[in-house]
Amino acid sequence: MTPSAAFWRGRRVFLTGHTGFKGAWLSLWLARLGAEVHGYALEPPTQPSLFALAGVAEVLTSHRIADIRDLDRLKAAVAAARPDIVIHMAAQPLVRESYVDPVGTYATNVMGTVNLFEGVRSVDSVRAVVIVTTDKCYENRGWTWGYREIDPLGGYDPYSNSKACSELVTAAYRSSFFNPAAYDQHGVAIGSGRAGNVIGGGDWAKDRLIPDLVQAFALGNTPLIRSPHAVRPWQHVMEPLSGYLLLCQKLYEDGTAGGEGWNFGPRQEDARPVSWIADRLAALWGENAAWQLDAAPQPHEASYLYLDTAKAGARLGYQPRWRLDDALTTIVDWYRAHRDGADIRAVTLGQIAQFEEAADIASDTPRHRPRPGL
């Protein structure tokens, strides 16, 4: 399944974090689908940014620069937009930054979620809310099989832990203020989307693998890579975004039946080590691109992480569309187009159209590795 243009046409959407990498892609896609997008976020977190290059503000119904930690301004913005659907993506999204600023990380990722729900409670227009968290919200035990939505939450570092806390906040508000008994009164269904290691054109965040590699290759430099053996569920940004939109549709149409956590990720064979990604991207880039190992001490990061997405496949019709190699090819195409001075909005919308037209990956490939005894 792909998000339905018929569903989204004319739908009022309040989107936090719209100036970020994922938020800019989602803003363009929602506008393409015909939605009225009301954005609320800080200034773009990087320079350059996809938001600025693609002129995302021009396709929005409203664009407000403000802090998710400012409860009064957030409530006023939600009230002004009177949205049908709320998608909460605003966050401090970097593990390494969370070691530098743990207080700011918790304030944004936890209290920002609380504030968002208070904003939703202040209006009667909202029917569905999706809170975007991360695959790192689980208590990582180094399993070689996928984490399921029923597995314990945790988080070793402040970022991961703050996202687990955000999931707990979501569960508390769902049961306390938006529970099934109250659904007919307030009419809000709440779900959370868990995905991670999202890649795509237009990402310039620091200390992230793809941006570090591409920026170095473009300058003819040799990037340093940490944790080359760490395995992650890499996926193009369009993959989880499609999951979030499908979840929104289910929540809006079916009510609290979909009000729970949902995993969105690639198939197991696309969970690859960092070194594989670096080698493949260098080969696709060409021009004698190469990388070296960063031997400096690094903060703790899990060595293996993979999500079981069987529930989303069965109940939402969610299926990955691009193999990892296809995703990497589109990323190289995007950054080369940027380097060559192309129209970035046109390039990005072209890749969105390409994704929409792609067939689902064949269903005969296992989606997850069965757990022992299952």
Side-chain angles (χ1 to χ4, degrees):
M1 291 181 63
T2 56
S4 166
F7 172 86
W8 288 101
R9 190 174 300 114
R11 198 75 66 189
R12 298 190 307 276
V13 180
F14 189 82
L15 174 61
T16 71
H18 67 291
T19 59
F21 162 59
K22 290 172 69 175
W25 274 90
L26 185 55
S27 295
L28 289 172
W29 197 6
L30 283 169
R32 172 183 166 84
L33 291 170
E36 299 177 9
V37 184
H38 300 265
Y40 183 102
L42 297 175
E43 294 284 357
T46 63
Q47 182 59 248
S49 70
L50 174 59
F51 182 83
L53 290 171
V56 175
E58 298 168 10
V59 306
L60 302 175
T61 302
S62 69
H63 162 54
R64 189 174 303 215
I65 296 298
D67 198 319
I68 198 74
R69 294 171 292 187
D70 188 331
L71 175 59
D72 291 339
R73 292 191 67 185
L74 178 57
K75 290 176 68 174
V78 175
R82 290 196 56 78
D84 305 306
I85 293 172
V86 173
I87 305 175
H88 179 44
M89 300 180 72
Q92 192 297 96
L94 302 174
V95 171
R96 290 166 73 88
E97 178 63 23
S98 76
Y99 282 104
V100 176
D101 183 16
V103 173
T105 298
Y106 280 101
T108 298
N109 295 352
V110 181
M111 289 309 300
T113 304
V114 171
N115 291 345
L116 186 282
F117 280 126
E118 288 300 303
V120 171
R121 291 182 65 203
S122 70
V123 299
D124 61 4
S125 62
V126 180
R127 289 276 301 278
V129 179
V130 168
I131 305 297
V132 175
T133 63
T134 176
D135 56 358
K136 297 178 179 65
C137 70
Y138 292 105
E139 180 184 341
N140 194 311
R141 302 179 181 180
W143 289 332
T144 56
W145 51 84
Y147 291 84
R148 297 176 297 181
E149 291 87 347
I150 59 174
D151 285 325
L153 301 175
Y156 180 99
D157 57 86
Y159 165 73
S160 303
N161 186 267
S162 71
K163 283 300 197 175
C165 292
S166 177
E167 289 276 359
L168 294 175
V169 166
T170 299
Y173 268 81
R174 182 190 295 122
S175 60
S176 298
F177 303 108
F178 306 108
N179 59 55
Y183 182 75
D184 290 338
Q185 301 169 26
H186 199 70
V188 183
I190 300 170
S192 63
R194 303 164 184 175
N197 293 90
V198 173
I199 57 179
D203 186 3
W204 279 280
K206 63 179 181 180
D207 295 323
R208 280 172 54 83
L209 180 64
I210 300 296
D212 288 349
L213 289 171
V214 170
Q215 289 181 76
F217 294 162
L219 295 172
N221 297 333
T222 302
L224 298 176
I225 301 302
R226 64 181 189 273
S227 306
H229 303 298
V231 176
R232 297 287 182 269
W234 311 95
Q235 57 187 322
H236 192 274
V237 62
M238 292 293 292
E239 303 284 9
L241 295 185
S242 70
Y244 304 154
L245 295 183
L246 290 173
L247 177 55
C248 286
Q249 292 174 201
K250 180 175 182 59
L251 294 170
Y252 190 94
E253 294 172 344
D254 296 348
T256 56
E260 52 196 87
W262 297 82
N263 289 341
F264 300 106
R267 294 180 178 273
Q268 187 172 5
E269 65 270 24
D270 283 338
R272 296 279 191 168
V274 167
S275 60
W276 188 96
I277 297 291
D279 287 340
R280 186 60 187 140
L281 202 66
L284 288 168
W285 190 270
E287 301 175 9
N288 297 315
W291 60 274
Q292 293 181 341
L293 176 65
D294 186 350
Q298 304 293 337
H300 173 273
E301 291 190 48
S303 60
Y304 188 92
L305 182 61
Y306 179 71
L307 296 183
D308 182 330
T309 61
K311 184 175 82 169
R315 293 173 55 188
L316 299 179
Y318 170 79
Q319 295 285 345
R321 288 181 171 266
W322 279 343
R323 297 282 188 187
L324 180 55
D325 202 56
D326 296 326
L328 293 175
T329 299
T330 66
I331 290 169
V332 169
D333 290 344
W334 194 101
Y335 282 106
R336 284 190 180 280
H338 170 255
R339 184 189 63 178
D340 295 341
D343 181 331
I344 289 303
R345 187 192 297 177
V347 170
T348 307
L349 287 172
Q351 292 196 349
I352 291 173
Q354 184 182 352
F355 179 86
E356 290 175 328
E357 295 164 3
D360 292 343
I361 293 175
S363 60
D364 58 354
T365 305
R367 294 186 60 78
H368 62 281
R369 180 178 298 168
R371 297 190 178 196
L374 297 182

